[in-house]
Amino acid sequence: MLTNPRYTIFLLCIVTAILSLIATVLLSPWFGLAAAVLVPLALLGIYDLVQTRHAVLRNYPVIGHIRFLMESFRPEIRQYMIESDQDEVPFSRQARALVYQRAKGAEDKRPFGTIENVYGSGYSWLTHSATPVHIPDSDFRVRIGGKDCLQPYDASLYNISAMSFGALSGAAILALNKGARQGGFAHDTGEGGISRYHREAGGDLIYQVASGYFGCRNDDGSFSREKFAAITADPQIKMIEIKLSQGAKPGHGGMLPASKISVEIAEARGIPMGIDCISPPAHSTFSTPTGLVEFIRQLRELSGGKPIGFKLCIGHRREFLSIVKAMLKTGILPDFIVIDGAEGGTGAAPVEFANRVGMPMLEGLTFVHNALRGAGLRDQIRLGAAGKIITAYEIARAFALGADWCNSGRGFMFAIGCIQSQSCHTNKCPVGIATQDQLRQKALNVGDKSDRVARFHRNTMHALAEIAGAAGLTDPRDFMPYHFMFRQKDNVFLDGNEVYPYLPDGFLLESEEYPELADWYDRWERASADSFAPPEIPFGPFESRRKMESLKVPAL
């Protein structure tokens, strides 16, 4: 050890600690200041040598802690010193800066041209008109409510996505809802129920009913008709959203440990104190496509005819087609469907789920839009879209692919001061947004942040009006795929109609089939209104109709 250089710092700490103690006794008490630093370091080094958890510390006592120290603030170093304006981790500095500027009412223009690689694969752009239009009113609205809805809602085209109280602090919920009220747009409660902070400002609410049935559950966790009817009688609740899955962790449940359940969280969720709170992966009220649409009818009746819809991240496409078949079989239609992309997610999730489970928003939205077109139902159901939508361009692109409105979670988190520290699950959010720490929450000024929420929404809608006018449109809902171009590789780009086409209306129901849509017909035939389970395939693995026809084998 005496000759090995990796122990040099540790040995110096030992020697200088001993010398400082001797000097404190023999020479001057002032040497005690040095001893107060050196003695703990020497003891730390001794502990490093005997502990068995970290090999780095056993081989590099004392100095090995520098490695863990650097790792602890690596995200901050990267974000503030190394990250380029376009690195998405998960949102780029350029995107975050745009939200901050619009929320504060600061200058959101930039000089000297784009920093995008316009010739790189994946770049997309909007085609503009030689006769642009000025749109003076940017308070765009969409009516949500089908033939069986008694209380339709005129929603803004841009709203706050689902984020629960508990995941977010009371101060953050209050700031978001107060901003929504000021700006005249909706605030999705998330699955955690309706808290006092949702109610205080009086902003429009979309009440989310998830598998835990928080706010409308019996003591055993099952759905309570009586509690649901009572809570949705509140005129502040404008719509009800059944959550089937979310982009952050589709197909994954969750648990809130008893130690983290405060009196306010228990009140909002309708759960007891001192017991772990379970969010199952699946609903207990229904287990089939027909059961889902029957549940939709039940909620519509219990709520007095308010708009009822569901939210999901697309997984097995056949399962969504099964839901469509259930709609056709029963005649029960949701008023809306929200498509969440796998790139979405304010909540913490296992890495495998966050990175590799679920369909991205653009593909999911296109699929749902075309599935409803194929069944002849598209004009009766509104579609919402969510998944990293924070700019007017991203909203316009979603409209072109079939959305009727858009939601954003992290965009509005940025508006109230989120700095993307990615510490949401630690209860140590540095700006008081994703924490239940009362002291940290006090740093969030509700009055100022709610103004920023309303201002971000207003400025984004103004930008949407400008970009729609540049395309020669008078309403952003008129965007179509052909208004966009998508670069496939360095010297090849395609029209939006080629990349994200609108399929023929009613094609799944017509007797004459389109050969190029063989995969759609395969899934449609395998879908069942009575079960989400795949049909049994008796003769080996499934072969698509397209492949079988090419081999001249009769379809099963």
Side-chain angles (χ1 to χ4, degrees):
M1 180 181 292
L2 295 176
T3 59
N4 195 318
R6 69 172 184 259
Y7 295 108
T8 301
I9 298 297
F10 167 58
L11 293 174
L12 283 175
C13 289
I14 294 286
V15 171
T16 53
I18 294 172
L19 293 175
S20 64
L21 288 173
I22 295 172
T24 301
V25 174
L26 299 179
L27 299 178
S28 170
W30 288 105
F31 284 100
L33 296 175
V37 175
L38 294 169
V39 170
L41 286 177
L43 294 174
L44 176 64
I46 294 171
Y47 173 76
D48 290 341
L49 285 175
V50 298
Q51 60 84 35
T52 58
R53 187 175 180 183
H54 298 292
V56 169
L57 297 181
R58 296 192 76 181
N59 281 327
Y60 298 89
V62 180
I63 61 172
H65 288 277
I66 296 176
R67 180 260 185 191
F68 295 99
L69 177 65
M70 297 296 291
E71 186 180 58
S72 68
F73 53 79
R74 176 183 177 275
E76 287 78 8
I77 292 177
R78 175 178 172 81
Q79 180 169 315
Y80 292 111
M81 300 180 184
I82 301 174
E83 173 188 306
S84 79
D85 284 351
Q86 293 171 285
D87 287 343
E88 295 189 359
V89 283
F91 283 84
S92 69
R93 178 181 293 273
Q94 179 178 237
R96 299 195 308 272
L98 180 64
V99 177
Y100 298 148
Q101 290 159 353
R102 287 181 173 167
K104 295 176 183 178
E107 178 63 63
D108 63 353
K109 312 298 188 294
R110 69 177 304 152
F112 224 67
T114 182
I115 62 173
E116 300 283 348
N117 178 11
V118 299
Y119 295 103
S121 176
Y123 179 76
S124 63
W125 67 93
L126 172 74
T127 59
H128 63 281
S129 172
T131 55
V133 175
H134 173 64
I135 304 177
D137 183 7
S138 58
D139 184 24
F140 306 111
R141 298 277 158 179
V142 56
R143 174 152 291 192
I144 303 174
K147 58 184 178 63
D148 297 320
C149 178
L150 303 179
Q151 301 184 53
Y153 176 56
D154 293 326
S156 170
L157 299 191
Y158 195 45
N159 301 286
I160 302 173
S161 195
M163 295 180 287
S164 299
F165 170 61
L168 298 192
S169 67
I173 293 292
L174 180 56
L176 289 169
N177 193 258
K178 188 176 180 181
R181 181 179 176 87
Q182 292 174 17
F185 52 99
H187 178 192
D188 193 314
T189 64
E191 69 174 290
I194 303 174
S195 70
R196 64 184 70 176
Y197 303 104
H198 288 99
R199 298 185 186 280
E200 182 176 331
D204 291 351
L205 292 176
I206 301 170
Y207 175 40
Q208 187 180 93
V209 177
S211 58
Y213 304 115
F214 299 125
C216 59
R217 58 188 266 142
N218 295 309
D219 291 341
D220 62 357
S222 61
F223 175 69
S224 169
R225 293 169 53 91
E226 295 76 16
K227 290 180 180 179
F228 176 83
I231 200 170
T232 55
D234 187 344
Q236 187 181 355
I237 297 175
K238 303 300 182 183
M239 304 199 300
I240 294 91
E241 175 185 86
I242 303 166
K243 190 190 88 168
L244 300 183
S245 59
Q246 65 186 91
K249 47 182 178 180
H252 191 280
M255 182 189 74
L256 185 63
S259 60
K260 293 186 177 181
I261 299 176
S262 67
V263 173
E264 290 179 326
I265 291 175
E267 177 188 70
R269 297 193 177 202
I271 57 175
M273 297 284 291
I275 301 175
D276 292 341
C277 177
I278 305 297
S279 296
H283 282 258
S284 60
T285 307
F286 58 87
S287 59
T288 66
T290 300
L292 168 60
V293 297
E294 291 287 355
F295 188 52
I296 289 172
R297 177 166 62 184
Q298 181 182 10
L299 297 191
R300 187 179 285 129
E301 293 171 354
L302 292 171
S303 67
K306 291 184 178 181
I308 311 294
F310 61 89
K311 166 187 171 178
L312 81 169
C313 176
I314 296 297
H316 296 318
R317 288 169 286 179
R318 171 190 48 77
E319 291 184 349
F320 183 81
L321 293 178
S322 294
I323 298 173
V324 175
K325 278 194 170 181
M327 296 177 195
L328 294 173
K329 176 183 177 180
T330 63
I332 304 170
L333 305 182
D335 297 292
F336 66 91
I337 300 171
V338 175
I339 300 91
D340 201 8
E343 67 271 41
T346 54
V351 173
E352 294 87 350
F353 280 81
N355 289 347
R356 301 296 177 184
V357 180
M359 186 178 290
M361 187 270 292
L362 297 183
E363 287 75 16
L365 174 61
T366 301
F367 170 74
V368 171
H369 174 64
N370 280 322
L372 295 177
R373 282 179 61 85
L377 300 175
R378 180 62 187 89
D379 61 343
Q380 301 176 63
I381 301 172
R382 299 297 189 188
L383 295 184
K388 294 186 74 171
I389 300 176
I390 62 172
T391 70
Y393 176 82
E394 290 156 352
I395 297 172
R397 184 180 58 186
F399 288 155
L401 272 55
D404 293 299
W405 86 91
C406 293
N407 295 333
S408 177
R410 288 168 291 182
F412 284 99
M413 286 179 68
F414 290 139
I416 59 174
C418 172
I419 60 172
Q420 195 171 266
S421 69
Q422 300 182 62
S423 56
C424 310
H425 59 301
T426 67
N427 205 35
K428 296 180 180 179
C429 173
V431 292
I433 295 174
T435 179
Q436 296 304 307
D437 185 313
Q438 294 296 322
L439 186 60
R440 289 176 181 269
Q441 289 187 50
K442 289 182 180 179
L444 196 155
N445 184 309
V446 172
D448 174 62
K449 301 305 184 184
S450 62
D451 290 341
R452 292 189 184 191
V453 168
R455 196 180 295 118
F456 167 62
H457 178 271
R458 182 173 62 251
N459 288 335
T460 302
M461 290 296 94
H462 176 72
L464 181 62
E466 289 188 323
I467 201 171
L473 305 177
T474 58
D475 191 303
R477 288 166 292 183
D478 294 333
F479 276 113
M480 296 292 286
Y482 60 75
H483 287 111
F484 294 83
M485 306 295 290
F486 298 86
R487 190 177 295 283
Q488 304 299 297
K489 52 186 179 181
D490 290 352
N491 61 345
V492 177
F493 57 85
L494 298 176
D495 184 290
N497 279 337
E498 299 174 275
V499 183
Y500 299 106
Y502 281 23
L503 300 184
D505 192 45
F507 75 92
L508 291 172
L509 307 179
E510 295 177 359
S511 57
E512 185 175 344
E513 298 181 354
Y514 297 83
E516 65 275 18
L517 302 179
D519 285 347
W520 276 89
Y521 296 122
D522 287 333
R523 289 190 181 87
W524 183 249
E525 289 179 1
R526 288 184 287 125
S528 169
D530 300 317
S531 176
F532 284 114
E536 183 179 352
I537 300 172
F539 302 112
F542 172 74
E543 296 287 357
S544 74
R545 179 183 307 190
R546 178 185 300 174
K547 183 175 181 181
M548 288 188 293
E549 287 180 351
S550 68
L551 297 174
K552 297 183 179 180
V553 176
L556 296 178

